[in-house]
Amino acid sequence: MTATAKKHIGRNIARIREMRGMKQETLAEILGVSQQKVSLLENAEELEDHKLEPIAKALEIPLEALKNFSEDAFFNVISNTFNTNDNAIAILRTENYQPTFNPLDKLLESYEENKKLYERLLETEKEKSRVIEELVRKVVKD
């Protein structure tokens, strides 16, 4: 019969807090306790459910997730959820990012848009010149 290692609830609290990007001070503020109290909680091997419930709520996770948290299981779920073709994982693994579009096509599109803008600007300038010429002719005739 194999003995299973007892979960250290305080480590679970610390790891989940860290994974959520939360500092001890922030958790303490949410719980309405001191940072030192949070430190004590994170060092506790066991805690009663009535003490864990507000902590789970502050960490925005179910109580059972807090009690049964396992880093191995967490990373196993992550690695089984994403495949290597997923761009987010590819970037995290520092693989080469392959865009889903052809950069040359985008460059040509940009060139065509600039060309159209330039042509519209040129037409506007020609129209201005025409209006100015008409005004000058009117002034000269009068």
Side-chain angles (χ1 to χ4, degrees), residues 11-107:
R11 283 193 201 115
N12 289 357
I13 295 168
R15 258 331 259 148
I16 293 169
R17 176 185 56 76
E18 290 166 355
M19 291 170 112
R20 297 197 45 81
M22 188 183 290
K23 293 185 174 194
Q24 279 186 343
E25 293 84 2
T26 307
L27 182 57
E29 188 176 312
I30 294 169
L31 295 173
V33 298
S34 68
Q35 180 270 324
Q36 290 80 7
K37 177 69 175 172
V38 171
S39 181
L40 287 172
L41 291 170
E42 290 182 354
N43 286 312
E45 195 168 322
E46 293 182 23
L47 287 171
E48 298 83 24
D49 283 359
H50 72 276
K51 289 184 179 179
L52 287 175
E53 287 172 359
I55 297 169
K57 187 175 180 180
L59 293 171
E60 299 176 348
I61 60 169
L63 177 60
E64 289 304 311
L66 179 59
K67 289 165 64 173
N68 299 318
F69 176 75
S70 162
E71 276 191 56
D72 293 336
F74 175 80
F75 288 114
N76 192 26
V77 167
I78 295 294
S79 66
N80 288 334
T81 303
F82 297 103
N83 62 39
T84 55
N85 292 331
D86 186 358
N87 286 338
I89 289 296
I91 291 169
L92 288 175
R93 292 185 178 169
T94 65
E95 293 177 4
N96 289 334
Y97 172 69
Q98 297 298 320
T100 57
F101 59 88
N102 185 341
L104 290 177
D105 288 343
K106 290 291 183 187
L107 183 64

